[in-house]
DNA sequence: GGGTGCATGTAATGGGTTACATGATTCT
DNA sequence: AGAATCATGTAACCCATTACATGCACCC
């Protein structure tokens, strides 16, 4: 009795309600706009599109271009909209968390505080960059005409902003704590330590 | 040239530095203690343990019990500690985000605000429950003797707390916004709407 | 008698990333 | 000259969840 959700095809359907697009465009759009909460690789997108077209959820038209390779432009059908609507009625399942940074930090006493600090530093960089992108997306949304989608897009964006802010606050706290740990046990001493202290 | 990290075996090694345990115990501990940032199913744990033992990273001893099935108690070896230490030196890769709730909310205009509100309500329940668990874990950590792990465990826990708090704040905001949307377009009217408004 | 917990494991199945393949154009 | 972008697709592989299998004991 599996709760197969998978959502892969439905993202594509959803994005095609905004505009008809090629697989390549969909990939770009996913990367540029919803990357902070969803991702699809081309290895998924192209086969999914093929299958969706074969089942009549979308239709494709070949578009010739000069200089560039041909594009397949897909449009959602009425049947596709039905499938999307049905999928929206299914309770979203919370994703299984897998945060490698936290995992390594959990075992941080087996490395040096400096190593872990380096990882937190990198996280700060990544998340700060994300904040920049968010504010750019935010400006784009408000400058656009008001679609019925607009309020939803704003909520989703706001999630990212609040979450990132909490991550950055945490990072500041943690960096301070790690610096304290470094002072206590100042950079690894010369003698080799046998690893049985924990037990 | 794949950046194979996978971390599956290393979690087990890490947890075995705390104490020697059976596969079943490891599963329990993962579920009870690090569930908010990592997860492993038994379908992964048992095969991984077998392989780790075959390669000499851990050793297993059979322990007979009365009434209950036999247990295989695994202990980490020096070689295992080396592998763990080496893994800790590898930069953690940020996980690929996949948040189904946000995805459905992004396409929220194709459902009703009430549907989406229901999903947010459920999220509030889940995350509030998580907060309770966190505070219980927090008390447990401070009441324990101070291992070298303690400060790291506290940082990791704090991450969860701050993140959940941000989620709950977001949920409150969003619920308010959704209620407003419901008033504007009060519960679906009787006439059927054709779905071309977006285009 | 039936469900739940302890305990270990395998097999089927399905997702998803990465690498590879192709080929023209444009930018550095 | 070589890298990057546009554009589509396939195949290999890996990772992970779920279901299934077994079997005893304890509780309701």
């Amino acid at each position: 009795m599996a709760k197969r959700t998978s959502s892969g095809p439905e993202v594509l359907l959803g994005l095609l309600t905004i505009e008809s697009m090629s697989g390549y465009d969909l990939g770009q759009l996913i990367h540029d706009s919803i990357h902070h909460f969803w991702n699809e690789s081309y290895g998924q997108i192209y086969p999914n599109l093929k299958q969706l077209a074969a089942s009549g959820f979308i239709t494709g038209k070949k578009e010739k271009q000069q200089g560039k390779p041909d594009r397949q432009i897909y449009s959602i059908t009425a049947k596709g909209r039905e499938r999307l609507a049905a999928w929206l009625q299914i309770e979203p399942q919370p994703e299984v968390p897998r945060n490698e940074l936290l995992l390594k930090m959990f075992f941080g006493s087996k490395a040096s505080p400096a190593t872990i600090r380096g990882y937190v530093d990198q996280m700060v960089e990544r998340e700060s960059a994300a904040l920049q992108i968010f504010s750019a997306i935010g400006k784009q949304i408000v400058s656009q005409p008001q679609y019925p989608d607009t309020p939803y897009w704003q909520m989703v964006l706001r999630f990212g902003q609040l979450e990132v802010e909490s991550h950055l606050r945490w990072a500041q706290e943690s960096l301070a704590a790690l610096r304290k740990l470094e002072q206590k046990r100042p950079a690894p001493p010369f003698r080799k330590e046998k690893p049985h202290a924990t037990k």
Side-chain angles (χ1 to χ4, degrees), chain A:
Chain A
M1 228 124 281
K3 276 268 139 71
R4 281 289 122 242
T5 328
S6 113
S7 310
E10 283 85 2
V11 207
L12 305 175
L13 290 176
L15 293 175
L16 288 175
T17 65
I18 302 172
E19 201 180 350
S20 294
M21 271 180 278
S22 70
Y24 188 80
D25 292 336
L26 285 162
Q28 301 284 102
L29 187 58
I30 288 169
H31 185 85
D32 296 345
S33 300
I34 65 176
H35 180 238
H36 79 282
F37 63 90
W38 201 266
N39 202 39
E40 293 287 330
S41 61
Y42 287 114
Q44 291 280 105
I45 293 172
Y46 285 117
N48 276 336
L49 285 173
K50 206 177 216 182
Q51 223 188 288
L52 284 170
S55 316
F57 297 112
I58 59 176
T59 53
K61 275 176 202 165
K62 208 167 283 172
E63 200 181 68
K64 288 188 179 171
Q65 299 188 128
Q66 81 291 35
K68 291 172 190 174
D70 294 357
R71 291 157 55 83
Q72 267 284 53
I73 305 290
Y74 293 102
S75 305
I76 190 167
T77 63
K79 199 178 161 193
R81 285 176 197 274
E82 275 169 45
R83 174 161 170 185
L84 179 64
W87 169 79
L88 283 167
Q89 297 304 315
I90 302 168
E91 267 186 41
Q93 295 298 115
E95 72 269 62
V96 180
R98 245 185 208 115
N99 188 324
E100 233 185 276
L101 169 62
L102 291 187
L103 186 60
K104 293 197 172 175
M105 186 176 264
F106 189 80
F107 300 124
S109 73
K110 276 87 196 171
S112 72
T115 300
I116 306 297
R117 235 190 51 211
Y119 298 155
V120 178
D121 282 332
Q122 287 174 323
M123 176 203 166
V124 169
E125 272 178 56
R126 269 203 316 276
E127 306 256 318
S128 304
L131 259 196
Q132 303 288 351
I133 292 170
F134 290 160
S135 84
I137 295 177
K139 278 171 199 166
Q140 215 193 301
I141 292 177
V142 289
S143 71
Q144 267 175 192
Q146 298 287 307
Y147 293 110
D149 298 291
T150 308
Y152 291 99
W153 294 354
Q154 274 168 333
M155 280 184 249
V156 168
L157 180 65
R158 183 90 179 116
F159 181 96
Q161 287 171 327
L162 285 173
E163 199 182 60
V164 166
E165 278 169 26
S166 82
H167 290 168
L168 290 174
R169 234 175 301 131
W170 172 80
Q172 294 320 314
E173 268 188 32
S174 300
L175 288 172
L178 287 166
R179 274 188 289 264
K180 270 193 193 172
L181 282 178
E182 274 179 88
Q183 286 168 355
K184 274 195 189 173
R185 228 170 305 162
F190 282 113
R191 63 190 177 79
K192 281 184 187 168
E193 290 174 35
K194 278 170 214 155
H196 55 18
T198 324
K199 190 70 192 298

